[in-house]
Amino acid sequence: KDAFITDRYYLSDAVCLAGLEGDGHLLEEIDAALHNPYFPLFLGRRACPPSGKLSLGIKKGVSLADALQEEWQASDWYKKRSAAEVLLEIIRDALPDEANAFAERDLPLSFEQVYRRYTFRSVASGFVKIANPCAWPRPEKPTGHDALAEVT
C-alpha cells in the first residue's frame, strides 16, 4: 500500500572526467584517498561501482582547462570512428558574475534520509576542440561511384 513507482535515469557505459584545482597539499590528500578509499566507492548506488583509474594523477604547472583537454578518456574504438577534431563539452562551476552561467539545483543542504534538500549553484558550460590522432582517414571528395545507378 505504501509502495510507489519512481522513474530513474542511468547512464550506461559512460565516461566522465572530473577535475579539481586548488591547494597542492589538499590535492595530494584527495589523490591518496582515491587510491586507498576507506569505504567502497560507488556512483550514486552501490550497484554502480566506478571502473578504471580513479585518479589520473596531479598535473603541476598546468591550468585545469588545459589538463582536461589532454585527458580525453574515450575508448580506442570510439576515437577511431570520431572526426579528426572533436568538440568536448566542459561543465564547470561558474565564476562570480559570469555572463553565460545558469543555475543547477544539485548543491546538498541536507543529507537526511527523510528530507534531503538541495540548493542552486552557478554553472557554466562550454566546448573545447581537441585533435584526435586516432581518427580513421576519411575521403574528402566523393569517389564518383554511384552504387544505386543501375537500380533506377
Side-chain angles (χ1 to χ4, degrees), residues 103-119:
E104 188 73 42
R105 189 174 190 169
D106 62 357
L107 186 63
L109 287 176
S110 168
F111 288 106
E112 294 179 33
Q113 291 288 339
V114 179
Y115 185 63
R116 289 192 180 162
R117 294 184 349 202
Y118 299 89
T119 189

Side-chain angles (χ1 to χ4, degrees), residues 81-104:
R81 76 173 202 178
S82 298
E85 286 189 338
V86 182
L87 282 177
L88 300 177
E89 184 177 18
I90 292 182
I91 301 171
R92 60 175 174 75
D93 287 342
L95 300 171
D97 300 323
E98 190 165 345
N100 294 325
F102 58 93
E104 188 73 42

Side-chain angles (χ1 to χ4, degrees), residues 20-21 59-70:
L20 303 174
E21 190 173 40
K59 301 196 181 296
K60 296 183 179 182
V62 179
S63 71
L64 178 59
D66 292 340
L68 289 175
Q69 288 183 39
E70 296 172 6

